[in-house]
Amino acid sequence: MYFSTPEQFISVQSANVAVAFSLAQQTFQYFEELAKLNLQAARATLAESEQAWQMAMSGKTPVELFVHQVSNAQPVAEKLLSYNSHMLDIANGAQAEFLKIFEDRFAQSNAKMQTVVDDFARNAPTGSELAVTAFKSAVASAGAAYDAMRKATAQAIAMAQASQLPVPAATRAK
């Protein structure tokens, strides 16, 4: 990229550092949410394992234990679906926030690049119209390619989210 002054270079670098710190903070926030979810799941599993052990040692007949285990299969499946749903919510939130940051940054970079292209075109020597047109075309093509890639990614994410298994409302509240 073309910088006419050191201040422009410093401004761009400062903006890049700010974006990097923002991404790092968001990443830590989502890892923290995921860690909390995993801790809740581990605590619940430990408590349920203790109950199962106590029931097994309570002197019940093997048939009673088997009936109890079979009756617990559906709640376990619902808990697993709930866990997966919460994990996907966290991942979707992270993805949406990162995409927003990247799109904002790309829009800023695109605007700066357009300014550079315009400055280049204004200051280009006479007879370089063909080179200026080719340069503008390359920048426009790169922007169009990015936009197409962004739309395809958004469609893929939407399809993945649509294929997510529904979780009963009662299960998600737990």
Side-chain angles (χ1 to χ4, degrees), residues 35-92:
K36 286 179 184 177
L37 177 64
N38 287 333
L39 283 172
Q40 289 171 348
R43 283 185 184 124
T45 301
L46 185 61
E48 291 166 6
S49 295
E50 181 183 12
Q51 279 182 330
W53 178 254
Q54 288 175 354
M55 178 168 260
M57 294 294 126
S58 68
K60 300 221 179 228
T61 67
V63 173
E64 290 173 319
L65 288 174
F66 179 74
V67 168
H68 177 70
Q69 286 179 338
V70 169
S71 67
N72 281 337
Q74 183 177 358
V76 168
E78 288 175 355
K79 288 175 186 172
L80 182 61
L81 283 174
S82 177
Y83 173 83
N84 286 337
S85 177
H86 288 316
M87 194 169 62
L88 283 172
D89 287 345
I90 292 169
N92 288 339

Side-chain angles (χ1 to χ4, degrees), residues 51-170:
Q51 279 182 330
W53 178 254
Q54 288 175 354
M55 178 168 260
M57 294 294 126
S58 68
K60 300 221 179 228
T61 67
V63 173
E64 290 173 319
L65 288 174
F66 179 74
V67 168
H68 177 70
Q69 286 179 338
V70 169
S71 67
N72 281 337
Q74 183 177 358
V76 168
E78 288 175 355
K79 288 175 186 172
L80 182 61
L81 283 174
S82 177
Y83 173 83
N84 286 337
S85 177
H86 288 316
M87 194 169 62
L88 283 172
D89 287 345
I90 292 169
N92 288 339
Q95 179 271 331
E97 187 63 32
F98 290 158
L99 186 60
K100 181 181 175 288
I101 290 170
F102 284 124
E103 284 180 344
D104 289 346
R105 187 70 187 133
F106 178 76
Q108 291 171 4
S109 295
N110 204 16
K112 287 179 183 177
M113 181 56 109
Q114 190 60 46
T115 302
V116 168
V117 168
D118 291 343
D119 287 346
F120 177 73
R122 256 192 316 275
N123 298 323
T126 305
S128 62
E129 291 82 16
L130 185 60
V132 169
T133 302
F135 186 57
K136 284 183 174 183
S137 177
V139 170
S141 294
Y146 169 78
D147 194 45
M149 182 180 65
R150 184 188 58 78
K151 287 178 182 176
T153 302
Q155 285 179 332
I157 290 168
M159 287 174 38
Q161 290 172 345
S163 68
Q164 179 181 342
L165 291 174
V167 178

